[in-house]
Every structure is written in structure tokens, then in C-alpha cells.
Amino acid sequence: MRKMNFKGKVIWITGASSGIGASLAMQLNNLGATVIASARRTEKLIELREKCADLQNFMVLPLDITDSQSIQKSVAQVRQLGRLDLVLHNAGIAQKGLVIETELDVDRKVMETNYFGTVALTKAIMPMYLQQGYGGFGIVSSFAGVMGIPGRSAYSASKHALHGFFESLKAEHMGCKLNVSFILPGFINTAITAKGLCGDGTPYGKVETSHRLGMTPAECAQDIIKGLQKKRKQIAVGKFEVYLLSINRIAPGLGHYIIKNHPMRRWRRLKSRFDLTIHFKGNKVIERRCTKNC
């Protein structure tokens, strides 16, 4: 299959103000694409633009995907460009908490952002794709989008829902050259867990150890771009955790056991028991301290 060439392509990225989205925007711009970077934090998008190689082909477009008027206004501006080749749905919010301790309002908020916001933007874009006869979507999902993860019920549900929606969309529009890629990041060192919602709706406030030790956003973006170039239907990105997807597909029972008893859960139990404290500088451990039962 012929690889996708990004030079001259128009690519719209949501959630582009930080993390994976920001790295994708910079790298695709460097590859010659006209990048439309969207997020609610306009000032962060402007800062990102200043770091890019081709400022003329980097468009800052404020967008709140939970606001229908913001979506319609943004799509109208994109239409003026005359073409749109690829949309990378990256905007989203995480959640942390057991089912029984997560308030229903939190479930609704996660679904409103991760699912309904993405669906609303897609519905607004599709007339443009149908008119030009082609288009693509890259959905930044998660391992939680193909398997249930403990403590991530709302997040996992929202990502599962996206898979069902885009599978149906692709099946419905066979007459349009519509390419859909599901992007499944594993543990990536971004602030998504820190900004994620606890069961009562408050921010979790810290980056989980599993993510802190994970792949960098820049490395993640590189692997995503390689997958998009090859037009892969599923792009799994991460370190050792990517093997879990194959295990879960071949032996679901074993996959479920690993998820339920994964090393980070054991680590948290150990940390609680011995009151372990670890400090990081980047991905490097710079201090370990044990204050009881040691």
C-alpha cells in the first residue's frame, strides 16, 4: 500500500494545546502539512505555533467541542480553506475512580467531552468530506477503548463508544473514500491523569507513576505518524504494555487476569503498606524514601 505523504495536506488536530496533540501538530507541520490546531486554551496554541518550523502553514483555531456554536463556527472557518484531508480527534478528559465511588455527573461529563463532543464535530465535518469525496479520521482512543480497565469505567465507556460510532460511520459511507484509524496510546508521559476527574468530580492532581515512566509525547507522536502514513486501522503506541493487546485478543482470560492484577496495582498496594515515597526528575528516579515497616 502506498504511504500517505503529509506534504500539502490539511490536518485538523483537536486537543492540540499540550501532550500528544501538541507533539503531533509540531511534527506534522515539520513534514509539510498545513496544521489546524484547536483547543480551548488559545494562549497555549499561540505558544505552540511559535515553536513550529512553518508558521505560515499553522492555523490556531480555538474550539470547545462541548459547545455546538463553537463547533459550527470552527467548521465554517475550516471550510474557507477549500479542503480538509485528515482530522485527528485528540481532545478528551480522563477519569479515575471505582464505579461505586464515581458520581453519575462525572460519567456524563466524560461522555460529553470524549464521545458527544467528538461525534458532534464529526457530524459537522462529514458534509465537507462527502462533497470532496474523501477524508480521514484518526481517533485517539486508548487501551481502555478495547478492554475494561479498573478505575476507568467512564473513560473506558466513552472510548468504547467512539469505536462503535466510527466503525458504523465507515460502513455507512462506502462511496466516500473514508479512512479511519484508531490510535491506542498506552502509558504516555502527559498530564492527562493529573487533569482527570476523581469520583467526586475534582481533578486527580498528579501524573500517575505508570504514565510518568511511559513513552514521551514526542515519541508517541512519531509512532502515530508512522501508523497514519501506512493507513493502519489500529495504531497501538507504548512500551511493553502494547503486548497486552495481543494477549487480550488471543487469550482474553489471561488478558483479563493481567489487567486485574497489573504491576501498578501491586505497586500501589506496596506503597500504601510501607509508605514509600519516590521523587522523579523527568523519567529518572532521584530519591526513594520509606517511612514505616522498612
Side-chain angles (χ1 to χ4, degrees):
M1 180 182 290
R2 188 176 180 182
K3 286 187 177 182
M4 180 186 293
N5 182 0
F6 294 111
K7 188 174 181 61
K9 297 290 192 298
V10 178
I11 303 175
W12 191 358
I13 306 171
T14 67
S17 59
S18 62
I20 296 173
S23 291
L24 282 169
M26 290 181 65
Q27 292 184 32
L28 287 167
N29 178 259
N30 289 340
L31 290 173
T34 295
V35 170
I36 306 166
S38 286
R40 289 178 296 181
R41 297 182 295 173
T42 307
E43 70 282 359
K44 292 293 183 180
L45 295 176
I46 294 173
E47 291 175 10
L48 177 64
R49 182 178 182 273
E50 295 304 315
K51 299 176 184 178
C52 290
D54 187 358
L55 300 182
Q56 297 300 317
N57 289 314
F58 192 100
M59 176 181 175
V60 170
L61 184 60
L63 171 66
D64 181 352
I65 63 170
T66 65
D67 184 332
S68 59
Q69 290 186 346
S70 178
I71 289 174
Q72 295 302 324
K73 181 179 179 180
S74 297
V75 171
Q77 288 182 257
V78 172
R79 276 187 173 276
Q80 294 178 7
L81 298 177
R83 66 179 289 182
L84 180 62
D85 297 280
L86 175 64
V87 177
L88 296 177
H89 286 300
N90 177 66
I93 188 171
Q95 166 263 341
K96 179 178 175 62
L98 300 176
V99 171
I100 58 174
E101 66 186 22
T102 300
E103 297 176 3
L104 187 59
D105 284 347
V106 172
D107 292 86
R108 293 185 187 280
K109 185 171 184 177
V110 172
M111 288 296 293
E112 189 65 41
T113 301
N114 294 1
Y115 177 70
F116 287 110
T118 299
V119 168
L121 180 58
T122 300
K123 287 176 178 284
I125 289 168
M126 277 308 298
M128 191 186 315
Y129 276 0
L130 291 172
Q131 183 178 16
Q132 65 188 24
Y134 66 90
F137 291 105
I139 302 93
V140 180
S141 177
S142 166
F143 281 26
V146 294
M147 60 183 76
I149 305 296
R152 299 288 189 275
S153 56
Y155 182 72
S156 183
S158 67
K159 297 299 186 178
H160 272 73
L162 285 176
H163 283 251
F165 175 83
F166 281 97
E167 288 286 358
S168 294
L169 174 67
K170 187 177 179 182
E172 288 177 4
H173 293 284
M174 299 300 287
C176 174
K177 293 180 180 178
L178 190 65
N179 186 69
V180 175
S181 295
F182 293 102
I183 301 163
L184 311 178
F187 298 132
I188 311 300
N189 190 4
T190 71
I192 187 170
T193 55
K195 298 175 183 177
L197 302 179
C198 293
D200 61 357
T202 58
Y204 182 58
K206 59 183 179 181
V207 178
E208 287 196 319
T209 304
S210 54
H211 287 262
R212 189 187 294 272
L213 296 176
M215 180 180 280
T216 67
E219 293 171 329
C220 176
Q222 287 176 356
D223 284 355
I224 290 172
I225 289 171
K226 289 177 183 176
L228 292 171
Q229 286 177 322
K230 297 177 181 178
K231 298 182 180 180
R232 289 178 179 168
K233 306 308 176 189
Q234 182 171 291
I235 305 170
V237 185
K239 294 183 177 179
F240 66 89
E241 68 271 18
V242 298
Y243 295 106
L244 180 57
L245 292 175
S246 298
I247 293 172
N248 191 64
R249 183 168 55 250
I250 297 169
L254 177 59
H256 178 74
Y257 177 82
I258 294 173
I259 293 169
K260 192 175 181 180
N261 299 279
H262 66 83
M264 290 314 301
R265 287 175 64 83
R266 294 181 182 276
W267 159 253
R268 282 192 287 269
R269 287 198 294 268
L270 185 67
K271 184 176 183 297
S272 176
R273 179 180 177 184
F274 294 105
D275 195 21
L276 290 169
T277 301
I278 291 184
H279 296 285
F280 295 87
K281 185 175 182 180
N283 290 338
K284 184 179 180 181
V285 177
I286 59 174
E287 180 186 4
R288 295 183 178 87
R289 185 167 67 251
C290 178
T291 58
K292 67 179 181 181
N293 297 330
C294 297

